[in-house]
Amino acid sequence: MKIPFVDLKAQYQTLKTEIDSAIANVIADTAFIGGSSNKYVTKFEKEFAEFLNIKHVISCANGTDSIEILLEAHGIKSGDEVIVPALTWISTSEAVGRVGAKPVFVDVCSDTLLMDLQKIGEKITSRTKAIIPVHLYGNAVDMETVMQIAEKYNLVVIEDCAQAHEASFNGKMVGSYGHSSSFSFYPGKNLGAYGDAGCITTNNDQVAAKCKMIANHGQLEKHNHVIEGRNSRMDGIHAAILSVKLKYLHNWNVMRNEHANYLNEGLDKKKFILPVVNKNAKHVFHLYVIRNRSRDQLKKYLYDQGIETAIHYPTALPFLQAYEKLGHTTKDFPIAFSVTQQIISLPMFPELTKEQLDHMITVLNKFEN
Ligand SMILES: *Cc1c(COP(=O)(O)O)cnc(C)c1O
């Protein structure tokens, strides 16, 4: 039995008629490029805003752009510092560098692998302007504590929700806590387009207007360029696909949770450290990440048995060549350093069958090491 890491084909098969007709409509209307006159884009923005119960959704070209646009809209610039977790996808810190500011990394918790909020205080300086909590793997960060810290030090909070569509903390959805938030609709995300796409969410009218302007060449309306902006728009085809898929997101997340619970029950807890759901969080299991001391052997063993896996992420951000200039050593982020030697992401997608899950459990529990 072969088990892929994700199976976007299986999802497409179940939605083929709806998706094909959504794409055909966009082509028939030649509504290709995003903007306020694209009815597919504005429709999806409205639907996603209702889903999250938030005032503004501003679509853009991808999740990385959405963070960068938000930092600019909040006035973060050269000389500023922005707090980010040591373990996340590089977009989070890359966007900080792109606006000329400095990413300041914080180590992660040894159980949830989310940013350790207790270690933020010691990283705050007079230059600290913002904090970007990341709901890593679909597990929600304690946003109430983050907002308290932000208030105390007068910081802007930008949530990175790229892996956490519909995750919530204390019953409130992520993407609606911070001053603003970023989402990615990369194809493999819980809600994914058929190419790159992303969006910004906020309840703040000024931030929304600024982001909209930045993402569309600094225009307020056509040919009225108020500032130098950029081209970061969501294509009509992606918006139409996302409108179809949004209706299924909740059920998909329920299935992801069922699969995660099934694996939690079946996997040998003496052999593997299983995922820990943050207290008061609703996890959406974008990724199902376990830990084992012999991770590299485990990965090879699973590959030989036809089970595809991945590592999110093999190197914590401070130790990448891109951040060599910051001069960090592994002692600065001991948890992030040690867990990156142990973590492995197992196949996780809504369409996983019971046979596939049982096979994963049997094969994994036979691993000797
Ligand atoms: C995927 C991802 C992003 C960025 O998404 P793109 O749409 O690929 O630019 C940002 N942050 C995290 C944590 C992600 O996983």
Side-chain angles (χ1 to χ4, degrees):
M1 184 186 289
K2 281 236 185 297
I3 309 182
F5 182 65
V6 278
D7 192 348
L8 296 178
K9 246 188 213 165
Q11 191 192 66
Y12 174 60
Q13 291 310 326
T14 66
L15 301 177
K16 189 174 184 319
T17 328
E18 263 187 285
I19 299 247
D20 288 359
S21 93
I23 295 173
N25 288 340
V26 176
I27 298 173
D29 288 342
T30 61
F32 300 124
I33 300 296
S36 46
S37 62
N38 186 308
K39 67 178 181 186
Y40 298 96
V41 172
T42 50
K43 178 169 179 281
F44 173 68
E45 287 175 337
K46 188 162 167 284
E47 289 165 350
F48 199 52
E50 274 162 22
F51 180 82
L52 291 174
N53 193 18
I54 194 131
K55 200 164 169 196
H56 303 283
V57 168
I58 301 105
S59 57
C60 62
N62 57 71
T64 311
D65 278 6
S66 61
I67 306 174
E68 202 177 314
I69 291 166
L70 271 170
L71 287 163
E72 189 184 335
H74 283 289
I76 312 296
K77 55 183 187 313
S78 172
D80 294 340
E81 294 179 357
V82 179
I83 304 276
V84 296
L87 184 64
T88 169
W89 175 237
I90 193 166
S91 298
T92 319
S93 55
E94 196 176 40
V96 174
R98 282 273 142 202
V99 299
K102 179 185 170 191
V104 174
F105 297 107
V106 172
D107 207 359
V108 296
C109 298
S110 59
D111 51 0
T112 60
L113 311 188
L114 297 171
M115 176 156 63
D116 189 341
L117 305 185
Q118 305 215 4
K119 291 183 181 154
I120 292 177
E122 67 202 53
K123 302 277 178 152
I124 306 271
T125 73
S126 57
R127 290 180 293 279
T128 313
K129 291 290 154 58
I131 165 167
I132 311 182
V134 180
H135 307 293
L136 193 71
Y137 306 152
N139 201 3
V141 172
D142 173 354
M143 284 309 298
E144 286 172 12
T145 302
V146 171
M147 296 316 288
Q148 280 163 15
I149 296 169
E151 198 160 321
K152 181 172 169 193
Y153 297 105
N154 195 22
L155 306 176
V156 169
V157 176
I158 299 171
E159 293 179 66
D160 183 341
C161 307
Q163 304 187 357
H165 315 73
E166 213 206 358
S168 61
F169 186 81
N170 264 347
K172 185 173 161 168
M173 258 193 247
V174 306
S176 64
Y177 269 102
H179 299 108
S180 57
S181 305
S182 153
F183 283 86
S184 164
F185 303 115
Y186 177 85
K189 301 281 159 93
N190 287 29
L191 179 60
Y194 282 2
D196 278 314
C199 82
I200 285 154
T201 67
T202 183
N203 281 315
N204 184 312
D205 297 343
Q206 278 98 15
V207 170
K210 190 102 192 261
C211 288
K212 213 169 169 168
M213 213 158 63
I214 295 169
N216 196 10
H217 298 294
Q219 301 175 108
L220 266 182
E221 66 260 358
K222 204 166 175 134
H223 301 309
N224 180 9
H225 303 272
V226 180
I227 54 169
E228 282 183 329
R230 57 195 286 176
N231 177 0
S232 183
R233 298 175 296 217
M234 182 189 284
D235 294 337
I237 284 178
H238 298 313
I241 290 165
L242 289 168
S243 279
V244 171
K245 287 200 185 185
L246 181 58
K247 295 181 287 179
Y248 300 94
L249 176 63
H250 174 71
N251 281 346
W252 288 335
N253 285 336
V254 169
M255 286 157 94
R256 285 174 183 273
N257 266 277
E258 283 173 9
H259 301 336
N261 289 336
Y262 196 78
L263 291 170
N264 286 343
E265 293 277 306
L267 291 175
D268 187 341
K269 288 163 198 65
K270 289 194 289 295
K271 285 187 181 163
F272 309 107
I273 300 178
L274 302 183
V276 174
V277 178
N278 199 16
K279 193 166 162 267
N280 299 323
K282 200 195 108 197
H283 202 311
V284 290
F285 287 100
H286 170 57
L287 296 169
Y288 183 88
V289 177
I290 65 169
R291 281 152 69 182
N292 181 276
R293 259 179 305 139
S294 309
R295 189 266 316 275
D296 293 341
Q297 284 103 301
L298 175 61
K299 191 169 192 337
K300 185 177 180 306
Y301 163 78
L302 292 173
Y303 180 82
D304 292 341
Q305 303 283 322
I307 300 173
E308 216 176 83
T309 60
I311 297 169
H312 299 87
Y313 298 90
T315 309
L317 297 182
F319 312 131
L320 291 171
Q321 194 183 339
Y323 296 111
E324 227 169 48
K325 57 191 175 203
L326 298 177
H328 286 302
T329 70
T330 56
K331 287 195 197 70
D332 298 336
F333 307 95
I335 313 280
F337 178 70
S338 87
V339 298
T340 47
Q341 323 296 308
Q342 303 165 5
I343 47 180
I344 179 166
S345 310
L346 302 183
M348 173 52 74
F349 50 90
E351 297 78 11
L352 274 171
T353 64
K354 185 167 177 301
E355 289 67 38
Q356 288 176 315
L357 289 162
D358 283 332
H359 183 66
M360 274 161 67
I361 290 168
T362 309
V363 170
L364 273 146
N365 286 348
K366 276 194 205 141
F367 179 65
E368 291 300 340
N369 224 309

